[in-house]
Amino acid sequence: MSGRPRGVRAARVAVAAVLPGELALAACLVAGVRPPGWALAGAEALVLAVLLLEAWVLRSLYVAARARGADRRAARRSAVQEAVPVTVRRLVLHELRALASLGRWVRRGTHGVRPGDHAAAYTGPQTAMMYGLLFVMVIETVVLALLIPWPVVHRVILVLDLYGVVLVLALHAACVTRPHVVRPDGSLRIRYGALFDLAVPPDAVASVRVDRRYPEGSLITLSEDGVLDLIVGSQTSVTLELNRPLPFTRPLGATEEAHTIRFHADDPRALVSALRQPA
């Protein structure tokens, strides 16, 4: 413990403490629920304070690692691994991937789709909801800009609101540019933006069918009997039966198994047909 900068434990605890709130806000945005402005401002202000603490601790750990003789790359890796919990690293990675999707969306590109693949979009049920949410957020930003008289508070709220707008666009862009993919060999890649990615090999598929359902629950819901629902806009439209349980990774790194997967595709018949007729 000697040589370990003070504040490492405090930084890890602080990040872990604000994580559930940040996830709740992200879930609200994905579901089309706009939290009150004061809740967003308070949550983001708290996140900003934690990030400042984290930056100070990371710098201290980096300097300590360099003093022990580590090169710059190793020192950076060591500092991040010691100060930032793995769940937070995954959350930040998801967010960076979503932001990177904005450029791909503008170029009308897709991620992980090769010639001969069948790409299946799944954003239909959430598109109108996302754009409606963006409209409300922009209106709120304009109204707050007119009502808040204090310049410093006005700038902080403006930055937070604009980032919220960009984040919602990024979440949607990640979903548009990362569709489900059926390969010519019959393998399937089931995705939801940058948050979920599951590869299903062709020999694991027992059956697939169009099956429209309206389940309740969060984006990723696993029942006690191993049925995984990947819910978009409160619906799924394809049911995939597996002949063996497949492991999948939740957005924050937890690994579980499912033997049936229900997910949404805007054109479920085309996806099912492509999966039943590999080249």
Side-chain angles (χ1 to χ4, degrees), residues 36-92:
W38 61 265
L40 281 176
E44 296 303 332
L46 180 59
V47 170
L48 178 61
V50 171
L51 288 177
L52 291 174
L53 172 62
E54 196 76 18
W56 176 75
V57 171
L58 283 171
R59 182 182 180 281
S60 300
L61 289 169
Y62 174 80
V63 171
R66 290 286 287 163
R68 294 193 299 268
D71 60 32
R72 292 181 178 179
R73 183 175 181 180
R76 286 195 297 267
R77 185 185 301 111
S78 174
V80 170
Q81 289 176 349
E82 187 169 356
V84 185
V86 63
T87 52
V88 178
R89 297 202 299 269
R90 289 186 63 88
L91 185 63
V92 171

Side-chain angles (χ1 to χ4, degrees), residues 163-275:
Y163 181 72
V165 171
V166 172
L167 183 58
V168 171
L169 275 175
L171 289 170
H172 186 60
C175 292
V176 173
T177 59
R178 293 171 179 260
H180 305 312
V181 179
V182 180
R183 307 283 187 203
D185 64 355
S187 61
L188 171 65
R189 191 174 181 181
I190 303 172
R191 302 194 281 189
Y192 183 84
L195 294 175
F196 185 87
D197 194 337
L198 172 62
V200 182
D203 62 350
V205 177
S207 66
V208 60
R209 65 183 183 276
V210 176
D211 181 20
R212 195 169 298 276
R213 294 171 179 262
Y214 301 91
E216 296 182 355
S218 57
L219 171 65
I220 301 171
T221 302
L222 181 67
S223 67
E224 293 182 358
D225 55 352
V227 178
L228 171 64
D229 283 310
L230 184 63
I231 304 171
V232 178
S234 300
Q235 64 180 282
T236 63
S237 56
V238 177
T239 294
L240 180 69
E241 302 282 354
L242 304 173
N243 55 34
R244 65 177 186 268
L246 280 185
F248 68 92
T249 304
R250 288 184 178 271
L252 294 183
T255 301
E256 297 179 279
E257 288 188 341
H259 64 70
T260 299
I261 304 171
R262 298 195 291 237
F263 60 99
H264 176 72
D266 291 346
D267 188 351
R269 298 186 187 282
L271 184 147
V272 169
S273 177
L275 196 58

Side-chain angles (χ1 to χ4, degrees), residues 109-129:
T110 53
H111 176 275
V113 180
R114 300 183 294 225
D117 291 345
H118 173 81
Y122 50 84
T123 57
Q126 71 178 27
T127 299
M129 175 182 67

Side-chain angles (χ1 to χ4, degrees), residues 15-34:
V15 171
V18 303
L19 181 61
E22 192 75 357
L23 285 175
L25 288 176
C28 288
L29 294 176
V30 169
V33 178
R34 170 65 172 168

